[in-house]
């Protein structure tokens, strides 16, 4: 077994180096480079080293490197050594070093031939894959077209359902809107009645409360005036009583002082009486002697007794007056206490009345605020009612616009349906005309093959080198195209009928410029057909409605621009109709070859 290693370059096809290692060569290589791998495991290990070099090539400091070292230039075809080097911070270690020989011309040719063969095989494989992909794509395209047609049908069905649904919805919504309008009008009338009733009730309540408050205010003002007058009167009476009290207190103090002085005098008089009684007792013994003195002293005693009686009477009077004054003082004190209690009660009543006044004022303020708020609420409700009326008007206008839009959509639908039906009829007529024209062309070709090559139209038409009669032109008739033999036969109907019993029907094409689409609608006019065909009853694929006579020709309308632009008619549409107010006749040969 030998191990073959080849070095190539995709950019340079002439770069080729080969190495063939046998088991004996591997043993010498193993002993030289100190390898620890057998010959059977060497290829895999070599591949692992190359993969490590590939993995490390994108790094900044690769660990494994592949070095291709040559002693001379590459063009000299000298042997080259391939080294697998491991780099570390200390040293570059060469794990393996293999010498490759450059390939000669025969080897390079063989290598290039093998590469070409591989590329051709790849090309064929890719072409087969591409063909299969194209087939799959065409199948998918056909499937998608079928699905698209199905979807378009479904879309048409959905559109029709949607139109019916929208019509039902519009009718339903119109009914609901009428019902809602009636309900809104009823609710508006009810709200207006309720609003007017509430307004009247609130105005009555407000007037009643204002009258009650005014009456209460007048009453309170009268009570307040009475209380203030009473207060002033009580203050004046209290002042007078205080002044009287001060005077009575002064008199009482004076009476007390007098009573004290009289008591002192009484005590002195009592002492004097005792002393005099003693003197009397002492002097009784001296009565006889001192009768004169006794008489004098009797007079003095009588006088003193009178004085004592007077003093006693005065004493009794003073005691009675003091008692009266004390009772009067007590009465005054009781009256003062009652007046002070009444004053306190009056103050409390005044305070209560002031508090009631404050509460009434606060209630008045609250009622004023409530009335203001109610007026604001009334204004807001009126604004809301106006907004609702405006919204109702806007809804009515939007309903009218929507109804107009619905009518417009219905008209558009009807026009589109009519256009669809017309287009379907046109398509049917176009298909019938195309089939009929194909049959006519086939019959004319067969008739031309059977006819002799010489022309027999009385010398009026020359024979072309292809066996076809020349196409005469009519410059004075505003026809810019050459006229086919069909048109020539139409110009000479008697001769054509005599000489060619089996001739074809004359065909005339009229082109008109359409203002709306800008495309030219082609109008075909065909003859009634051959008498033989009439006898046989053959309509050549067309319905009987297309064979009504009109100036010995049948107008076949409906060939659109799309049918004229078909693959069959494209090479024959090079001619153009000159713009003129009248329709120009285009020969059949301009669209169908002889």
């Amino acid at each position: 077994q030998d191990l073959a290693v080849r070095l190539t370059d995709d950019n340079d096809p002439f770069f080729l180096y080969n190495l063939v290692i046998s088991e004996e060569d591997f043993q010498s290589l193993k002993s030289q480079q100190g390898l620890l791998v057998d010959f059977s495991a060497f290829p895999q290990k070599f591949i692992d080293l190359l993969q490590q070099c590939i993995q490390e090539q994108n790094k900044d400091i690769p660990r494994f490197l592949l070095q291709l070292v040559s002693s001379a230039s590459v063009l000299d075809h000298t042997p080259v050594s391939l080294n697998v080097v491991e780099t570390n911070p200390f040293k570059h270690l060469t794990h393996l070093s293999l010498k490759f020989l450059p390939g000669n011309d025969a080897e390079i040719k063989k290598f290039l031939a093998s590469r070409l063969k591989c590329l051709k095989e790849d090309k064929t494989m890719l072409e087969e894959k591409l063909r299969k992909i194209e087939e799959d794509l065409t199948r998918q395209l056909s499937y998608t077209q079928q699905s698209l047609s199905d979807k378009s049908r479904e879309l048409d069905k959905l559109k029709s359902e949607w139109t019916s649904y929208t019509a039902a919805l519009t009718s339903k919504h119109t009914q609901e809107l009428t019902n809602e309008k009636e309900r809104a009008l009823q609710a508006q009338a009810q709200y207006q009645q309720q609003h007017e009733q509430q307004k009247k009730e609130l105005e009555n309540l407000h007037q009643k409360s204002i009258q009650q408050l005014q009456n209460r205010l007048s009453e309170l003002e009268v009570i307040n005036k009475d209380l203030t007058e009473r207060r002033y009167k009580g203050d004046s009476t209290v002042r007078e009583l205080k002044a009287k009290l001060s005077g009575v207190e002064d008199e009482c103090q004076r009476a007390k002082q007098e009573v004290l002085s009289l008591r002192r005098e009484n005590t002195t008089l009592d002492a004097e009486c005792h002393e005099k009684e003693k003197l009397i007792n002492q002097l009784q013994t001296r009565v006889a002697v001192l009768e004169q003195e006794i008489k004098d002293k009797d007079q003095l005693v009588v006088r003193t007794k009178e004085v004592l009686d007077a003093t006693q009477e005065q004493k009794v009077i003073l005691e009675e007056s003091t008692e009266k004054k004390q009772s009067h003082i007590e009465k005054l004190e009781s009256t003062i206490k009652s007046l002070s209690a009444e004053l306190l009660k009056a103050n409390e009543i005044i305070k209560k009345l002031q508090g009631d006044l404050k509460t009434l004022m606060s209630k008045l303020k609250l009622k004023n605020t409530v009335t203001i708020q109610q007026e604001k609420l009334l204004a807001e409700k009126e604004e809301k009612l106006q907004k609702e009326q405006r919204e109702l008007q806007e809804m009515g206008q939007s309903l009218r616009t929507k109804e107009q839009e619905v009518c417009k959509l219905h008209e558009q639908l009807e026009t589109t349906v009519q256009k669809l039906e017309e287009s379907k009829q046109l398509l049917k007529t176009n298909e019938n005309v195309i089939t009929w024209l194909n049959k006519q062309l086939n019959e004319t070709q067969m008739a031309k093959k059977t006819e002799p090559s010489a022309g027999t139209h009385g010398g009026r038409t020359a024979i072309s080198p292809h066996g076809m009669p020349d196409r005469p032109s009519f410059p004075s008739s505003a026809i810019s195209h050459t006229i086919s033999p069909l048109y020539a036969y139409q110009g000479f109907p008697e001769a054509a009928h005599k000489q060619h019993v089996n001739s074809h029907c004359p065909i005339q094409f009229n082109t008109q410029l359409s203002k709306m689409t800008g495309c030219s609608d082609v109008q075909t006019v065909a003859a009634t057909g051959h008498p033989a065909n009439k006898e046989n009853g053959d309509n050549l694929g067309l319905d009987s409605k297309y064979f009504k006579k009109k100036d010995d020709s049948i107008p076949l309308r409906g060939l659109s621009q799309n049918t004229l632009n078909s693959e069959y008619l494209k090479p024959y549409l090079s001619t153009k109709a000159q713009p003129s107010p009248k329709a120009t006749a285009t020969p059949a040969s301009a669209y169908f070859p002889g």
Side-chain angles (χ1 to χ4, degrees):
Q1 290 181 357
D2 294 333
L3 175 65
V5 183
R6 182 181 290 166
L7 284 176
T8 59
D9 190 2
D10 293 332
N11 297 321
D12 188 4
F14 296 103
F15 183 83
L16 179 66
Y17 287 92
N18 295 317
L19 173 64
V20 179
I21 300 171
S22 63
E23 289 186 4
E24 295 175 356
D25 296 333
F26 179 73
Q27 293 298 327
S28 63
L29 183 72
K30 184 177 179 182
S31 62
Q32 286 175 5
Q33 297 186 9
L35 301 175
L36 301 173
V37 184
D38 296 332
F39 182 72
S40 59
F42 176 70
Q44 187 62 40
K45 294 292 180 183
F46 182 58
I47 290 164
D48 294 337
L49 285 170
L50 290 173
Q51 285 179 353
Q52 285 181 358
C53 293
I54 290 163
Q55 289 174 2
E56 296 286 332
Q57 69 179 352
N58 293 323
K59 293 182 180 179
D60 295 332
I61 302 170
R63 187 180 171 190
F64 289 94
L65 295 170
L66 263 179
Q67 291 180 351
L68 188 68
V69 181
S70 64
S71 59
S73 63
V74 181
L75 297 170
D76 293 339
H77 299 285
T78 56
V80 173
S81 61
L82 181 69
N83 299 327
V84 180
V85 180
E86 182 182 0
T87 60
N88 55 23
F90 181 70
K91 188 182 177 183
H92 291 281
L93 296 172
T94 56
H95 287 280
L96 187 64
S97 179
L98 299 173
K99 286 186 179 181
F100 286 83
L101 295 172
N104 53 14
D105 293 336
E107 289 176 350
I108 289 167
K109 287 177 182 178
K110 189 177 179 181
F111 168 69
L112 289 172
S114 63
R115 289 297 296 273
L116 239 170
K117 187 180 179 182
C118 291
L119 286 169
K120 283 182 178 180
E121 288 175 355
D122 293 336
K123 185 186 174 185
T124 53
M125 289 286 289
L126 288 169
E127 284 177 350
E128 286 178 357
K129 284 182 181 179
L130 202 145
R131 188 174 55 76
K132 287 178 181 178
I133 289 162
E134 283 180 352
E135 289 176 356
D136 293 334
L137 287 170
T138 51
R139 287 172 189 170
Q140 287 178 3
L141 200 145
S142 62
Y143 177 71
T144 50
Q145 285 177 352
Q146 289 177 0
S147 62
L148 199 144
S149 63
D150 296 333
K151 294 287 180 184
S152 62
R153 288 171 187 168
E154 289 178 1
L155 200 143
D156 295 331
K157 287 180 182 178
L158 286 170
K159 280 182 180 177
S160 63
E161 290 175 359
W162 178 250
T163 51
S164 62
Y165 181 67
T166 49
L169 273 176
T170 49
S171 63
K172 186 179 177 182
H173 284 307
T174 50
Q175 289 177 0
E176 288 179 355
L177 272 167
T178 52
N179 294 325
E180 288 292 330
K181 280 180 181 177
E182 290 175 357
R183 288 176 188 171
L185 290 168
Q186 290 175 0
Q188 188 179 1
Q190 288 178 1
Y191 285 139
Q192 283 179 354
Q193 289 176 0
Q194 290 177 1
H195 176 66
E196 288 174 356
Q197 288 177 0
Q198 288 177 359
K199 192 175 179 182
K200 288 177 182 177
E201 289 175 358
L202 286 168
E203 285 177 353
N204 293 324
L205 288 168
H206 187 63
Q207 287 176 359
K208 285 178 183 178
S209 61
I210 287 165
Q211 286 177 0
Q212 288 176 0
L213 288 168
Q214 284 177 356
N215 295 325
R216 188 66 186 275
L217 253 174
S218 60
E219 289 175 359
L220 287 168
E221 284 176 354
V222 171
I223 291 163
N224 196 2
K225 285 178 182 178
D226 294 334
L227 287 169
T228 48
E229 287 175 358
R230 285 182 184 178
R231 186 181 175 187
Y232 291 135
K233 286 179 181 177
D235 290 332
S236 61
T237 51
V238 164
R239 287 171 187 170
E240 288 175 357
L241 288 168
K242 282 181 180 179
K244 285 179 180 179
L245 245 175
S246 62
V248 169
E249 284 177 353
D250 293 332
E251 288 177 357
C252 187
Q253 285 178 359
R254 287 173 186 172
K256 282 179 181 179
Q257 288 176 0
E258 287 177 355
V259 166
L260 289 170
S261 63
L262 287 169
R263 282 177 182 176
R264 287 172 186 171
E265 288 177 355
N266 197 1
T267 51
T268 53
L269 287 169
D270 286 333
E272 287 177 354
C273 280
H274 286 296
E275 287 178 354
K276 283 177 180 179
E277 283 176 356
K278 287 176 183 181
L279 287 169
I280 289 165
N281 290 324
Q282 288 176 4
L283 291 171
Q284 278 177 0
T285 60
R286 294 177 183 178
V287 172
V289 181
L290 296 168
E291 284 179 359
Q292 275 315 77
E293 290 179 4
I294 291 165
K295 286 180 182 179
D296 295 328
K297 289 207 182 163
D298 285 331
Q299 290 177 359
L300 286 167
V301 168
V302 171
R303 287 178 184 173
T304 52
K305 281 181 182 180
E306 288 175 0
V307 171
L308 274 167
D309 293 329
T311 52
Q312 283 178 358
E313 287 176 359
Q314 285 179 359
K315 185 179 177 183
V316 171
I317 290 161
L318 283 168
E319 285 176 356
E320 288 177 356
S321 65
T322 51
E323 286 175 358
K324 286 178 181 179
K325 284 178 180 178
Q326 282 179 356
S327 63
H328 187 64
I329 286 162
E330 287 174 358
K331 287 178 181 178
L332 286 170
E333 285 177 355
S334 62
T335 52
I336 286 162
K337 286 179 181 178
S338 63
L339 283 168
S340 63
E342 286 178 356
L343 280 169
L344 290 169
K345 287 179 182 177
N347 288 323
E348 288 176 356
I349 290 161
I350 288 161
K351 286 178 181 177
K352 284 180 182 178
L353 289 168
Q354 286 177 353
D356 292 333
L357 269 170
K358 286 180 182 177
T359 53
L360 285 167
M361 291 296 288
S362 63
K363 284 179 181 178
L364 272 170
K365 287 179 181 178
L366 282 169
K367 284 182 180 177
N368 288 324
T369 53
V370 167
T371 51
I372 290 161
Q373 287 177 357
Q374 286 175 353
E375 287 176 356
K376 286 181 181 177
L377 286 169
L378 286 169
E380 287 176 358
K381 284 181 179 178
E382 287 176 356
E383 287 178 358
K384 284 181 181 177
L385 280 168
Q386 289 176 359
K387 284 181 182 177
E388 287 177 356
Q389 288 175 357
R390 288 172 188 170
E391 287 176 358
L392 280 168
Q393 289 175 359
E394 289 176 358
M395 287 291 286
Q397 289 177 359
S398 63
L399 264 170
R400 288 169 189 168
T401 54
K402 283 181 180 177
E403 286 173 356
Q404 290 175 1
E405 288 176 358
V406 166
C407 293
K408 287 179 182 177
L409 288 168
H410 282 302
E411 290 174 359
Q412 288 178 0
L413 256 174
E414 289 173 357
T415 53
T416 50
V417 168
Q418 288 175 1
K419 285 179 181 177
L420 268 170
E421 289 175 356
E422 289 175 358
S423 62
K424 285 178 182 177
Q425 289 176 0
L426 286 171
L427 280 169
K428 285 180 182 178
T429 53
N430 290 336
E431 288 174 358
N432 291 325
V433 166
I434 287 162
T435 53
W436 183 73
L437 288 171
N438 286 323
K439 286 181 181 180
Q440 287 290 322
L441 286 168
N442 290 325
E443 287 179 359
T444 51
Q445 286 177 0
M446 292 295 291
K448 283 173 186 175
K449 285 178 182 178
T450 56
E451 283 178 358
S453 61
T456 59
H457 290 287
R460 292 189 183 185
T461 57
I463 304 300
S464 66
H466 296 288
M468 294 292 291
D470 290 334
R471 298 172 182 176
S473 63
F474 299 93
S476 62
S477 62
I479 298 170
S480 62
H481 307 291
T482 58
I483 308 260
S484 67
L486 303 174
Y487 192 82
Y489 292 147
Q490 189 180 4
F492 308 102
E494 292 178 356
H497 182 66
K498 286 177 182 178
Q499 294 178 7
H500 300 284
V501 177
N502 295 321
S503 64
H504 57 276
C505 299
I507 300 165
Q508 186 177 2
F509 289 86
N510 294 325
T511 59
Q512 293 179 353
L513 293 172
S514 176
K515 291 181 181 180
M516 298 299 289
T517 58
C519 300
S520 63
D521 295 332
V522 179
Q523 182 178 7
T524 62
V525 180
T528 56
H530 197 270
N533 289 330
K534 284 182 182 178
E535 290 174 1
N536 296 325
D538 188 7
N539 290 330
L540 299 174
L542 290 173
D543 294 330
S544 61
K545 63 182 180 180
Y546 298 109
F547 291 95
K548 293 179 181 178
K549 289 184 178 180
K550 187 179 179 183
D551 297 330
D552 296 329
S553 64
I554 297 168
L556 297 175
R557 291 186 176 86
L559 277 176
S560 65
Q561 190 70 23
N562 293 324
T563 56
L564 287 172
N565 288 332
S566 63
E567 292 180 359
Y568 183 77
L569 302 175
K570 271 183 183 177
Y572 310 109
L573 291 174
S574 60
T575 61
K576 294 182 180 177
Q578 290 181 355
S580 66
K582 294 182 180 179
T584 58
T586 306
S589 63
Y591 297 99
F592 303 102

